[in-house]
């Protein structure tokens, strides 16, 4: 349960805001709808060690911003999903986190659906 006053909680973005933010994040796609809407991206790697190094980088971002994604790890990939349950949708924080995740690997990354 979030104890912040409602004025301090993140606001769910409107659909037009979501589309605008998403257009600035290569590789990220919308998943779900309504209160279950999220943004997700699958990252591919050469081996499990790279996957785990990346996942630890994502964990550091999550810790710094106190916002935690869903991570699905496999031998050569990591899927990252952001959403803000308390707001009932996507917020600016979800897109900020996704941008920081992209920055972990640099701007030259080819998007993976």
């Amino acid at each position: 349960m979030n104890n912040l006053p409602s004025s301090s909680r993140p606001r769910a973005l409107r659909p037009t805001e979501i589309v605008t933010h998403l257009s600035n994040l290569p590789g990220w796609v919308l998943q779900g709808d309504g209160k279950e809407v999220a943004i997700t991206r699958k990252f591919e790697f050469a081996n499990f060690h790279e996957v785990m190094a990346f996942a630890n980088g994502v964990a550091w971002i999550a810790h710094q911003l106190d916002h935690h994604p869903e991570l699905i790890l496999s031998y050569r990939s990591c899927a990252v999903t952001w959403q803000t349950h308390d707001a009932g949708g996507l917020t600016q924080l979800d897109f900020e986190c996704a941008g920081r995740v992209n920055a972990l690997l640099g701007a030259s990354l080819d998007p993976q659906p």
Side-chain angles (χ1 to χ4, degrees), residues 1 48 79 85 88-89 98 100 105:
M1 176 135 179
F48 189 66
H85 300 282
R100 290 185 185 202
L105 300 175

Side-chain angles (χ1 to χ4, degrees), residues 12-105:
L13 298 173
R14 295 184 293 275
T16 54
E17 294 173 305
I18 291 170
V19 170
T20 299
H21 286 297
L22 196 59
S23 70
N24 295 318
L25 283 174
W28 292 85
V29 295
L30 280 177
Q31 172 182 300
D33 59 11
K35 290 185 177 185
E36 298 303 315
V37 70
I39 52 174
T40 191
R41 181 172 176 181
K42 184 177 181 181
F43 295 86
E44 303 285 342
F45 299 92
N47 57 54
F48 189 66
H49 297 286
E50 289 182 12
V51 171
M52 291 308 298
F54 173 77
N56 282 321
V58 174
W60 181 249
I61 291 167
H63 175 72
Q64 291 298 304
L65 296 175
D66 194 25
H67 191 54
H68 304 92
E70 174 182 290
L71 298 176
I72 299 175
L73 307 172
S74 67
Y75 178 69
R76 291 191 173 172
S77 68
C78 179
V80 182
T81 302
W82 297 99
Q83 69 182 151
T84 305
H85 300 282
D86 291 348
L90 291 168
T91 66
Q92 175 64 39
L93 185 56
D94 297 306
F95 289 96
E96 181 178 343
C97 290
R100 290 185 185 202
V101 169
N102 277 3
L104 280 175
L105 300 175

